[in-house]
Amino acid sequence: MYKRILIATDGSKLSQQAVEHGIQLADLTGAEVIALKVIPSYPQSYFEGGVALAADEVLRIEKQWQEEALVSVNAVKSAGQLLEVKVKPLTVKSDLISEAIIATAKRNKCDLIVMASHGRRGIKRMLLGSETQQVLTHSHIPVLILR
């Protein structure tokens, strides 16, 4: 049924549930997994009263985010190894998380995207938006959402 499943993770407890379900589904279907963590750029806009960081400090922070992202996707790879599921860990730098997830799924010829919903409601959802909702509405690839 599925040959390649993209599992999007942010390293949170909720996304860990999506990882577990995605790995189990890959095991049942014989699919391989693309484990993806999207890393945003450090915000460069400065607000009144804000303190601008030096360029080397911004690079240090982005390097730290990259290292943390590698830990997240390598944890997915380790989970896959327990069930002998082939996992390719990937990190992508983008400020448009939902677009990066969809583009990575297309580029890697995935037939399913698995991700978690953070379950925001009301004003929080309106203000913060929902990357999951964006993937769900704009992807031409089936999406499995876990809550």
Side-chain angles (χ1 to χ4, degrees):
M1 176 177 239
Y2 300 114
K3 292 185 173 91
R4 193 167 292 131
I5 299 170
L6 183 138
I7 302 175
T9 183
D10 63 7
S12 69
K13 187 176 180 180
L14 188 57
S15 76
Q16 182 57 34
Q17 291 177 352
V19 167
E20 291 168 8
H21 279 79
I23 294 286
Q24 290 174 3
L25 184 58
D27 183 43
L28 289 172
T29 61
E32 68 179 78
V33 168
I34 306 296
L36 176 67
K37 168 79 168 102
V38 181
I39 309 161
S41 299
Y42 189 84
Q44 296 296 319
S45 61
Y46 305 106
F47 299 99
E48 187 176 321
V51 177
L53 292 179
D56 60 334
E57 184 65 12
V58 170
L59 289 175
R60 185 192 67 74
I61 291 168
E62 288 182 340
K63 182 180 179 194
Q64 179 182 345
W65 289 349
Q66 173 66 29
E67 290 168 358
E68 290 168 358
L70 287 172
V71 169
S72 291
V73 294
N74 284 329
V76 178
K77 183 175 182 176
S78 295
Q81 287 173 336
L82 295 174
L83 294 175
E84 297 181 7
V85 172
K86 182 180 175 187
V87 178
K88 178 181 176 183
L90 281 179
T91 61
V92 174
K93 188 174 180 179
S94 176
D95 291 326
L96 304 171
I97 295 169
S98 59
E99 288 182 19
I101 292 169
I102 294 167
T104 302
K106 283 181 186 175
R107 191 170 41 257
N108 286 279
K109 299 180 174 125
C110 296
D111 13 57
L112 180 68
I113 298 171
V114 177
M115 61 191 304
S117 168
H118 285 283
R120 293 184 185 111
R121 299 190 193 291
I123 194 76
K124 280 187 180 178
R125 182 174 181 170
M126 193 167 63
L127 292 174
L128 298 174
S130 169
E131 296 301 334
T132 305
Q133 183 68 33
Q134 291 296 315
V135 171
L136 188 59
T137 56
H138 296 290
S139 176
H140 297 291
I141 298 165
V143 181
L144 174 62
I145 311 252
L146 294 144
R147 298 181 35 143

